[in-house]
Amino acid sequence: MRGIRKTQERGRALRTLEWCLWALAVAAVSLSLALARIETCDYVSVNGDFQSYNVFRRMLAGQTPYVDFVNYIGMAPVWVNLPLVALNNTFAGSLFATNFTSNILFSVTVLLWVWLITKSRPAAMLASVFLTKFVSSGLLATLFGPSLGGYWTNLFQSLYAPGNSMRIARLFLTFLLVGLGLVWLRVKGEPAEGTALQTAFTRLPACGMLGALAGAGLLWSSDFGLAAAFCVTVLFLLEQALRLWAGPWAFFARLGVYAAGFVLGLLACASLVTGFHPGAWLQSLAATGGWQYFYFNGTGGKALLLYVFTTPRLLLFAVPCAAFLIWCLVRLWQKKLTDRQLLLGFAAFTILAATGTYVLSGSGYNFKEALEGYFWLAAFALAGCGLLWLTRRFARRRDLLMRAAAGTLALALIALAGLDAVRWPSAAHNGQYLEALGGYTTYQKALVELPEVTGGEPVFSMYATGLEAVEGTFQPTGCDYIIHALGDEKRAEYVSAFAEGGWAWAQTPRMDLENWLTVQNWDVYRHLWAGYKRCYATEYSWLWRACGDRSLPVEAEVSVQRQSGSGWTVTVSAPEGETFTADLYIRWESGFTSAGGAFLSLGRSMVGCAVPLFGDMPGVAGYFPASGEGYIPVRVESGQGTATLWSADENFTELTVTEARLERALPALDLYEQEAAQ
């Protein structure tokens, strides 16, 4: 007995050491990535770096989410990063925190995902420690070539790079719930191959707790929060109906307790986040779901069901996922589904559902990367299962080798991170140091010279970034990114704040995206073009100076012609030789032509608009609600200009343009006017 006890104690000590080495190795890789990112604190003005820091900065200044400012992504980035950012409230501090935590979260998801598939803890620990270093070092692309290796590199980087709007933090909710389930099993001393977790939900308190977790998770993010809540609810109902059925009274009692817990968890979390104004979050969620779904062109107006079946690349990854879920459902019906299989099925179900969540609450293209990335991880893990099976005769020696490899790799990564930390203070940095950013930047024009041009006067930025951080100000509308001014009410407030605010200066992005931004946000840009003139170009933005009315005394006729059931052409005719931008008012109506089409599109449709805008760029598309009114710009050259409008999905909808008129003629601009930089 004493020998057995010593062996058990030795095994526990070894496992503890392995977990400590794993945690230190993950932290070491995260540290190296974070230090590399803040060597130069430059940024893309429309990506997620300032999208995250704007929220942190506002909250640390005492502002309340959803009440004082828009926070459409959700609270995941805040809960994960704010404690670290509070220690160094600068943009460099935010970059460090988000890069550090993103790799930790990604490594944990890989650990759980691979373990659920392979049931091998050493293999899962080795993969989760090694993957991000393998990707970030370029070894993946070198080993598998620029095509396949480059594809995998970009795919995984899009998941753990925080500049992609902290996608991994939003996705992590799924694995957080999976981890809680595994921890519960561990505490109870129950095996993952049993059914203790499932049978626990015969008890009413457990049903209420599960509902509270699902409800509170809605605030985690507007994509995976909705997807996780939906999937938890579906799986709860299936479990109660197929495995845990004890009659209708028990079923509805458990369902009632789950629903009550869901509502209480949601309201309690929303109240704490919004300073006891939960209605502000509910309004934000409704505005997101009711307005933003048509805003991006990722799904072309198709909702999840139609989008998946008409996108071959997505179908390639969705079909195996759906097949696995059907297998899980059959196992559940046979009462053979284990807790490990349930948790794995929940993770797969949520990732698949989140791919289309934004079709209901925004854009459906944001999380194709999650479906693809975790599909490939599953494929690699299954290949690993094959290797484990082939080496089953040498299982003990094999596991010892994996543990030795993991330990050696962990020590090497810890040593490399230590060297990075020692070298970083003396490393060469590009640009100049700005105390307000907390780091070095090469954006001399945007952050040093532009404030001198404006003389410190307020600037209305369509994308609030480094200028606001340097000057210690905030975007006055509470909408730091113009594309995230959500909902009709918030959008109207934003337009009014700019048009009637009497701003002496305005700032817009200067890049290829400017074409799309201008068309999509013409309700704002039409006031900009009419009352402001470009006067200064920075590394990533235009500075506009307020001036008199720039409307041109041009007369023109506007005509519309139906090209198909869902397509129209709008033509602007002016005297020959006239070149200008026509500011058009359009009213339209769109509807489904069949009940089947409405079902396949989940009742969602939108109107697209393709217009030529800048002289050196082709036509660009903007997207609008299915029925309504708005403004579009049309570039007129030599007296002629056209725009195309259509409703989506084109196979199931019909568009009618009821009115089109010229509001005013504005100067024609080229996208890259170099003279503006003089």
Side-chain angles (χ1 to χ4, degrees):
M1 289 295 294
R2 184 177 300 174
I4 294 175
R5 190 178 299 112
K6 286 184 176 181
T7 301
Q8 291 175 340
E9 291 176 353
R10 195 178 299 117
R12 283 194 294 268
L14 180 60
R15 284 193 296 271
T16 301
L17 177 61
E18 288 175 339
W19 280 115
C20 290
L21 281 176
W22 176 85
L24 288 172
V26 170
V29 175
S30 304
L31 177 64
S32 294
L33 291 175
L35 290 175
R37 179 61 184 89
I38 62 172
E39 283 185 1
T40 303
C41 297
D42 288 347
Y43 48 87
V44 177
S45 62
V46 296
N47 80 352
D49 287 331
F50 261 100
Q51 191 176 39
S52 298
Y53 182 51
N54 285 331
V55 174
F56 305 153
R57 198 163 70 94
R58 286 180 179 274
M59 291 191 67
L60 292 173
Q63 297 187 26
T64 303
Y66 307 105
V67 177
D68 298 320
F69 63 93
V70 169
N71 182 31
Y72 100 106
I73 285 179
M75 295 301 295
V78 174
W79 289 333
V80 170
N81 293 290
L82 193 62
L84 275 178
V85 179
L87 299 176
N88 181 13
N89 184 13
T90 63
F91 180 57
S94 176
L95 282 180
F96 179 90
T98 53
N99 280 269
F100 184 78
T101 60
S102 289
N103 184 67
I104 291 176
L105 297 181
F106 182 68
S107 298
V108 172
T109 67
V110 174
L111 175 78
L112 293 173
W113 186 248
V114 174
W115 181 85
L116 288 171
I117 295 172
T118 65
K119 296 184 286 186
S120 172
R121 179 174 56 83
M125 296 175 78
L126 183 62
S128 60
V129 168
F130 186 55
L131 182 60
T132 48
K133 193 65 175 181
F134 193 46
V135 172
S136 62
S137 65
L139 289 174
L140 188 62
T142 301
L143 185 61
F144 293 98
S147 180
L148 184 59
Y151 160 71
W152 281 331
T153 297
N154 293 331
L155 180 62
F156 291 126
Q157 284 181 339
S158 70
L159 288 173
Y160 70 77
N164 293 310
S165 302
M166 287 297 295
R167 291 181 185 178
I168 189 60
R170 292 144 68 182
L171 179 151
F172 188 72
L173 173 64
T174 300
F175 292 91
L176 176 61
L177 294 175
V178 168
L180 289 175
L182 292 173
V183 168
W184 184 88
L185 289 172
R186 181 70 176 175
V187 171
K188 293 292 184 179
E190 298 287 349
E193 297 302 325
T195 60
L197 182 63
Q198 298 170 75
T199 55
F201 295 108
T202 59
R203 298 188 291 273
L204 295 181
C207 296
M209 180 61 68
L210 182 65
L213 287 173
L218 283 175
L219 277 85
W220 184 272
S221 69
S222 55
D223 33 54
F224 269 88
L226 289 170
F230 170 75
C231 294
V232 166
T233 303
V234 169
L235 291 176
F236 176 81
L237 291 173
L238 288 173
E239 284 280 352
Q240 296 297 331
L242 297 179
R243 181 190 289 274
L244 307 176
W245 180 258
W249 289 109
F251 176 83
F252 285 108
R254 295 169 187 170
L255 180 59
V257 172
Y258 173 85
F262 188 99
V263 173
L264 289 175
L266 170 62
L267 292 178
C269 191
S271 296
L272 291 174
V273 166
T274 61
F276 298 95
H277 294 88
W281 175 81
L282 291 171
Q283 289 175 357
S284 175
L285 181 67
T288 305
W291 189 81
Q292 196 184 353
Y293 73 91
F294 63 82
Y295 200 81
F296 294 93
N297 63 350
T299 59
K302 299 179 178 71
L304 174 61
L305 185 60
L306 190 61
Y307 182 44
V308 169
F309 283 106
T310 57
T311 309
R313 176 178 169 182
L314 187 59
L315 197 61
L316 175 68
F317 301 103
V319 167
C321 182
F324 172 70
L325 293 177
I326 292 172
W327 179 84
C328 289
L329 183 60
V330 172
R331 295 275 296 178
L332 177 60
W333 178 68
Q334 296 173 337
K335 296 182 172 59
K336 296 180 180 179
L337 188 71
T338 68
D339 288 340
R340 180 184 64 85
Q341 293 164 351
L342 172 69
L343 294 173
L344 182 60
F346 165 70
F349 189 17
T350 308
I351 290 172
L352 180 62
T355 305
T357 298
Y358 261 16
V359 179
L360 301 177
S361 69
S363 163
Y365 73 89
N366 253 355
F367 273 98
K368 291 200 300 287
E369 292 89 348
L371 181 61
E372 291 186 31
Y374 287 89
F375 169 87
W376 284 114
L377 285 175
F380 299 151
L382 289 173
C385 284
L387 290 175
L388 293 175
W389 182 83
L390 290 174
T391 57
R392 63 190 183 281
R393 292 186 179 181
F394 315 101
R396 184 172 182 179
R397 186 181 303 173
R398 177 202 64 203
D399 288 347
L400 286 174
L401 287 174
M402 281 197 295
R403 288 175 173 176
T408 303
L409 178 63
L411 291 174
L413 293 174
I414 293 169
L416 288 174
L419 289 175
D420 289 339
V422 170
R423 293 171 181 170
W424 190 85
S426 59
H429 300 278
N430 295 325
Q432 71 178 93
Y433 182 83
L434 290 183
E435 186 176 354
L437 288 187
Y440 291 82
T441 179
T442 63
Y443 294 157
Q444 175 78 18
K445 291 184 177 181
L447 304 179
V448 178
E449 297 177 10
L450 189 146
E452 297 174 357
V453 174
T454 63
E457 292 185 274
V459 178
F460 190 101
S461 295
M462 305 298 182
Y463 278 72
T465 53
L467 179 65
E468 284 70 24
V470 167
E471 296 193 332
T473 60
F474 293 102
Q475 215 286 347
T477 65
C479 300
D480 293 304
Y481 279 19
I482 188 174
I483 63 171
H484 303 144
L486 303 180
D488 294 335
E489 181 179 348
K490 184 66 69 175
R491 186 71 175 187
E493 292 175 359
Y494 188 97
V495 174
S496 177
F498 177 66
E500 302 173 9
W503 304 95
W505 307 92
Q507 184 180 213
T508 62
R510 184 177 66 85
M511 54 200 315
D512 291 345
L513 194 60
E514 182 183 5
N515 204 351
W516 171 74
L517 283 172
T518 303
V519 174
Q520 186 63 72
N521 299 287
W522 185 244
D523 54 348
V524 179
Y525 273 76
R526 62 193 295 266
H527 297 290
L528 180 74
W529 283 35
Y532 292 78
K533 187 175 182 179
R534 288 173 176 170
C535 65
Y536 188 75
T538 76
E539 293 83 358
Y540 59 82
S541 66
W542 290 110
L543 180 66
W544 302 66
R545 186 199 305 270
C547 59
D549 187 4
R550 303 185 70 200
S551 299
L552 303 175
V554 177
E555 294 184 1
E557 295 182 356
V558 182
S559 60
V560 296
Q561 183 177 1
R562 185 190 294 270
Q563 301 298 324
S564 64
S566 63
W568 289 71
T569 298
V570 180
T571 302
V572 180
S573 302
E576 186 176 354
E578 293 286 357
T579 297
F580 60 95
T581 298
D583 177 20
L584 301 185
Y585 169 83
I586 306 287
R587 182 187 293 272
W588 64 87
E589 294 178 357
S590 176
F592 289 100
T593 56
S594 67
F599 170 75
L600 288 174
S601 293
L602 298 184
R604 294 288 191 176
S605 67
M606 66 183 183
V607 170
C609 159
V611 300
L613 180 60
F614 295 101
D616 52 359
M617 291 288 285
V620 65
Y623 292 87
F624 306 96
S627 297
E629 59 183 353
Y631 299 91
I632 64 171
V634 176
R635 185 181 177 96
V636 178
E637 291 188 342
S638 299
Q640 290 293 315
T642 60
T644 302
L645 277 74
W646 70 93
S647 55
D649 184 82
E650 300 175 17
N651 298 317
F652 308 124
T653 59
E654 184 175 21
L655 173 67
T656 301
V657 178
T658 59
E659 184 180 358
R661 67 171 185 263
L662 177 68
E663 289 290 300
R664 54 190 166 184
L666 298 172
L669 296 179
D670 290 327
L671 186 57
Y672 300 112
E673 290 182 310
Q674 297 302 323
E675 62 269 23
Q678 301 301 318

